[in-house]
């Protein structure tokens, strides 16, 4: 019930189905710092646009305060175990809370950038949390998913699009 409400926007429209102006365009330019470490732990690696080139990847915008992000997290862990490169953009979160979230649920991210101002999320056109983008090897956005990915969407949408992106040599269609 809560997940459905999370994906309903103004006028009762399902926002997970709204198109994105970013599809087939290069990922926005950004350079985000790492999540600050808690004492005795290593810092995560920050994230920048250049990290998104050279391989097909997912970019997931998430926060520890986001209940749907918690629901989706096992899907991201599964994809990471399957070898999918996943980058995280941690949105307007406290570093200690973000670290605790990852310590409790696992860390599927190869790199995580901290978007404390929310500017990077705006540049990506994010308006629901979590949001996940499929990025091809050339750094172009090929798909945008608003809201948590559920197991059915993983099999029917995400995995096929990851395969398609891997087969396409990169660049615009």
């Amino acid at each position: 019930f809560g997940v459905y409400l999370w994906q309903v926007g103004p006028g009762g429209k399902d926002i997970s189905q709204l198109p994105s102006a970013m599809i087939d365009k290069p990922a926005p330019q950004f350079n985000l710092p790492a999540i600050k470490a808690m004492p005795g732990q290593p810092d995560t690696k920050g994230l920048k646009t250049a990290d998104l080139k050279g391989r097909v990847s997912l970019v997931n915008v998430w926060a520890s305060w986001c209940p749907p992000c918690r629901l989706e997290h096992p899907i991201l862990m599964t994809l990471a175990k399957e070898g999918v490169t996943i980058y995280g953009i941690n949105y307007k979160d406290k570093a200690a809370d973000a670290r605790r979230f990852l310590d409790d649920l696992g860390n599927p991210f190869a790199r995580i950038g901290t978007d404390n101002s929310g500017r990077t999320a705006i540049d990506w056109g994010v308006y629901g949390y979590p949001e996940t983008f499929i990025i091809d090897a050339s750094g172009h956005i090929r798909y945008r998913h608003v809201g948590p990915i559920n197991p059915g969407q993983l099999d029917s949408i995400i995995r096929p699009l990851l395969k398609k992106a891997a087969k396409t040599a990169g660049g615009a269609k």
Side-chain angles (χ1 to χ4, degrees), residues 24 28 38 58 64-65 75 77 79 97 108 115 126-127 129 132 139 142 147 149-150 154 156 158-159 172:
D24 296 331
M38 291 168 46
L58 292 181
S64 66
W65 47 260
I75 298 279
M77 292 298 293
L79 286 169
D97 292 343
D115 185 14
V126 172
Y127 54 82
Y129 302 97
T132 303
R142 296 300 177 199
I149 299 167
N150 67 45
L154 176 62
S156 67
I158 303 301
R159 285 187 177 121

Side-chain angles (χ1 to χ4, degrees), residues 113-128:
T114 301
D115 185 14
N116 287 325
S117 71
R119 179 74 233 171
T120 299
I122 290 169
D123 291 346
W124 281 80
V126 172
Y127 54 82

Side-chain angles (χ1 to χ4, degrees), residues 22-88:
M22 300 296 291
I23 301 301
D24 296 331
K25 294 188 177 163
Q29 291 297 312
F30 66 97
N31 186 358
L32 296 173
I35 295 174
K36 290 192 183 343
M38 291 168 46
Q41 291 185 335
D43 282 338
T44 62
K45 295 176 183 175
L47 182 63
K48 59 186 178 300
T49 306
D51 296 325
L52 305 180
K53 292 188 178 179
R55 72 178 62 82
V56 173
S57 62
L58 292 181
V59 173
N60 180 260
V61 183
W62 66 282
S64 66
W65 47 260
C66 162
C69 296
R70 187 170 289 270
L71 288 174
E72 174 186 68
H73 203 77
I75 298 279
L76 299 180
M77 292 298 293
T78 296
L79 286 169
K81 286 177 187 163
E82 293 172 1
V84 174
T85 300
I86 305 172
Y87 298 113

Side-chain angles (χ1 to χ4, degrees), residues 33 43 56 74 81 90 94 112 161:
D43 282 338
V56 173
K81 286 177 187 163
N90 183 240
K94 294 177 182 168
I112 305 170
L161 288 174

